[in-house]
Amino acid sequence: MELFGCKTVQEVLIQEEQVPEKYIHKVEDGGVPVPDASPPQLLDVPVIDLALLSASSITADEFEKLRSALDTLGCFQVINHGMSPEFLDEIREITKQFFARPVEDKKKYLRQGNDIQGYGNDVVHTEQQNLDWTDRLYLTVFPQGNRKLNFWPENPESFRRTLDQFAMELHVITKTVLKALTRSLGLEDNCFSDLYGEEGNMNIRFNFYPPCPRPDLVLGLKPHSDSSLITHVLQDKEVEGLQFLKGDEWFRAPIVPDALLINVGDQVEILSNGVFKSVVHKVVIHPDKERISVVALCYPESYKHIEPFERLVDESRPRLYRKMKNYRDIIMENYQKGRRAIEEAKIYV
Ligand code: OGA
Ligand code: NI
């Protein structure tokens, strides 16, 4: 199928008087905000001290918090992660500055064809596809050999240096978190981190959600779960937007400015044979405030197969997922069609 890009939302806002049809979600698609409804409740997302998790003797308390966060919610927040509040603000600042540049300037970094790296918005797979109300810059940071520096902004001047440092900090955090996850499943320390690889496999996505006069019609991101092992989310400090599905109810993600929000992705759900849940989430749009977020998706090395760990398969918990490779390539098309990719991995008996 031919893939083609479309206008950025910033251009739509300048050029169009009404929200174009392609951005309008129908109620039956699910997840569309209901006009005048009271906003969903705030989700109580456990806050975990990363320094305690990385100690060789994890305290029983932190451990229990982690496990219960993951098998019920699929997300948690970490503090004491080694990045200062000032540094997190710097990341938010370079993101805002990049998206504030003139459209022509940003187009130097435009994603080409079906490459995933670069600036732009949704890859369009079908005519009927609903578009997300967001512009983004998507960059591979690890392995370093896959970096395409021609997509790394030169403005603001500190962008590349700051991103490089952010990626290195996240790399260390990722390894610590993956180890803690495997330990809390009663598995060997390095089961997940071996898949992620020594050099790591990480893509960083800078998201920009322009305001929309009709937030009841559009979504910043359709309901989805991430195709990653785990995802780090650095949220906007002031403007909310992220929501999580728990049971069949939506909840608002709390903003804890200095914390990093971590979601379990589909691949950890598969590897853990469904013990850990990959959380479904979406982003709603503010009527007059823009919102940014920076998301780091951590993957297994692309040539590695994933499947539920044998130790987590038994009579009481039969194997739920089949063996797969390159799972993230499957997800994009499914996402645009509004389906969860993990459905493709399920074994139906
Ligand atoms: C994502 C995502 C959340 C946000 O990019 O996959 O879920 O707050 N982002 O932008
Ligand atoms: Ni997501």
Side-chain angles (χ1 to χ4, degrees):
M1 184 163 321
E2 196 186 347
L3 307 174
F4 53 97
C6 55
K7 273 188 211 171
T8 63
V9 179
Q10 277 181 308
E11 286 172 291
V12 170
L13 270 172
I14 296 166
Q15 295 166 6
E16 315 270 343
E17 278 177 11
Q18 287 189 338
V19 177
E21 190 66 30
K22 278 188 171 306
Y23 289 92
I24 298 180
H25 288 265
K26 318 241 169 359
V27 177
E28 59 269 25
D29 295 341
V32 187
V34 181
D36 305 325
S38 53
Q41 308 235 328
L42 210 54
L43 189 64
D44 182 15
V45 182
V47 178
I48 288 174
D49 185 333
L50 195 70
L52 296 181
L53 274 194
S54 49
S56 47
S57 54
I58 300 180
T59 64
D61 254 12
E62 289 304 293
F63 209 60
E64 192 40 48
K65 239 203 270 182
L66 181 67
R67 213 194 141 101
S68 77
L70 294 182
D71 58 20
T72 53
L73 289 180
C75 62
F76 58 101
Q77 308 186 72
V78 289
I79 50 165
N80 240 333
H81 42 56
M83 294 187 283
S84 68
E86 294 73 29
F87 182 65
L88 296 181
D89 283 345
E90 221 175 299
I91 305 291
R92 294 183 177 106
E93 199 47 43
I94 59 166
T95 310
K96 288 184 181 163
Q97 286 178 12
F98 170 72
F99 285 106
R101 310 267 324 157
V103 171
E104 284 318 308
D105 189 21
K106 283 179 296 211
K107 282 196 162 169
K108 282 198 284 192
Y109 308 105
L110 210 54
R111 187 169 48 73
Q112 305 293 323
N114 54 9
D115 194 351
I116 57 163
Q117 296 196 54
Y119 165 69
N121 88 7
D122 289 349
V123 174
V124 179
H125 293 269
T126 66
E127 279 294 316
Q128 299 78 33
Q129 185 179 322
N130 257 164
L131 302 180
D132 292 328
W133 195 261
T134 179
D135 294 334
R136 46 180 88 103
L137 173 68
Y138 195 52
L139 301 170
T140 296
V141 292
F142 296 119
Q144 293 213 20
N146 291 358
R147 290 186 182 187
K148 291 190 176 166
L149 290 179
N150 51 320
F151 291 119
W152 289 44
E154 290 160 292
N155 276 299
E157 183 270 324
S158 60
F159 194 101
R160 292 181 172 193
R161 191 176 58 244
T162 311
L163 173 57
D164 186 46
Q165 195 188 337
F166 187 45
M168 286 190 304
E169 303 271 1
L170 287 174
H171 185 55
V172 176
I173 296 169
T174 302
K175 288 190 167 180
T176 307
V177 169
L178 290 178
K179 278 190 179 163
L181 293 191
T182 44
R183 275 212 228 166
S184 76
L185 286 166
L187 301 169
E188 299 294 314
D189 260 13
N190 42 14
C191 287
F192 288 157
S193 50
D194 277 355
L195 287 166
Y196 170 69
E198 190 50 42
E199 237 210 303
N201 268 259
M202 189 190 291
N203 292 340
I204 295 195
R205 184 154 66 210
F206 296 85
N207 296 308
F208 179 72
Y209 302 98
C212 179
R214 295 297 308 272
D216 55 324
L217 297 180
V218 302
L219 282 172
L221 284 180
K222 295 183 260 298
H224 68 282
S225 56
D226 295 338
S227 62
S228 55
L229 287 165
I230 57 167
T231 306
H232 307 279
V233 185
L234 180 66
Q235 293 200 82
D236 196 293
K237 223 168 151 172
E238 278 109 38
V239 185
E240 284 185 10
L242 178 59
Q243 297 187 359
F244 291 114
L245 190 64
K246 188 182 165 204
D248 51 11
E249 228 183 300
W250 289 100
F251 289 85
R252 285 150 49 224
I255 297 179
V256 179
D258 303 340
L260 203 56
L261 184 68
I262 299 183
N263 296 339
V264 164
D266 290 352
Q267 303 208 44
V268 159
E269 177 167 330
I270 293 171
L271 290 161
S272 71
N273 200 26
V275 175
F276 290 162
K277 301 290 183 304
S278 166
V279 62
V280 174
H281 51 287
K282 68 176 180 180
V283 174
V284 300
I285 295 297
H286 197 280
D288 41 48
K289 287 186 190 159
E290 56 190 48
R291 173 177 186 268
I292 55 110
S293 68
V294 184
V295 169
L297 300 130
C298 307
Y299 291 100
E301 290 180 286
S302 58
Y303 62 91
K304 287 184 174 157
H305 283 95
I306 59 151
E307 63 181 322
F309 288 117
E310 282 303 326
R311 296 251 312 267
L312 301 175
V313 178
D314 60 31
E315 265 163 35
S316 66
R317 179 174 280 278
R319 184 188 170 95
L320 294 176
Y321 303 102
R322 60 193 172 88
K323 184 171 180 170
M324 299 185 91
K325 200 170 98 170
N326 261 328
Y327 177 80
R328 80 177 117 167
D329 296 341
I330 305 169
I331 193 169
M332 271 329 280
E333 204 162 326
N334 269 22
Y335 170 70
Q336 301 301 3
K337 289 181 196 152
R339 280 208 313 259
R340 286 190 71 192
I342 202 162
E343 298 299 327
E344 304 274 334
K346 273 202 177 122
I347 295 173
Y348 293 96
V349 280

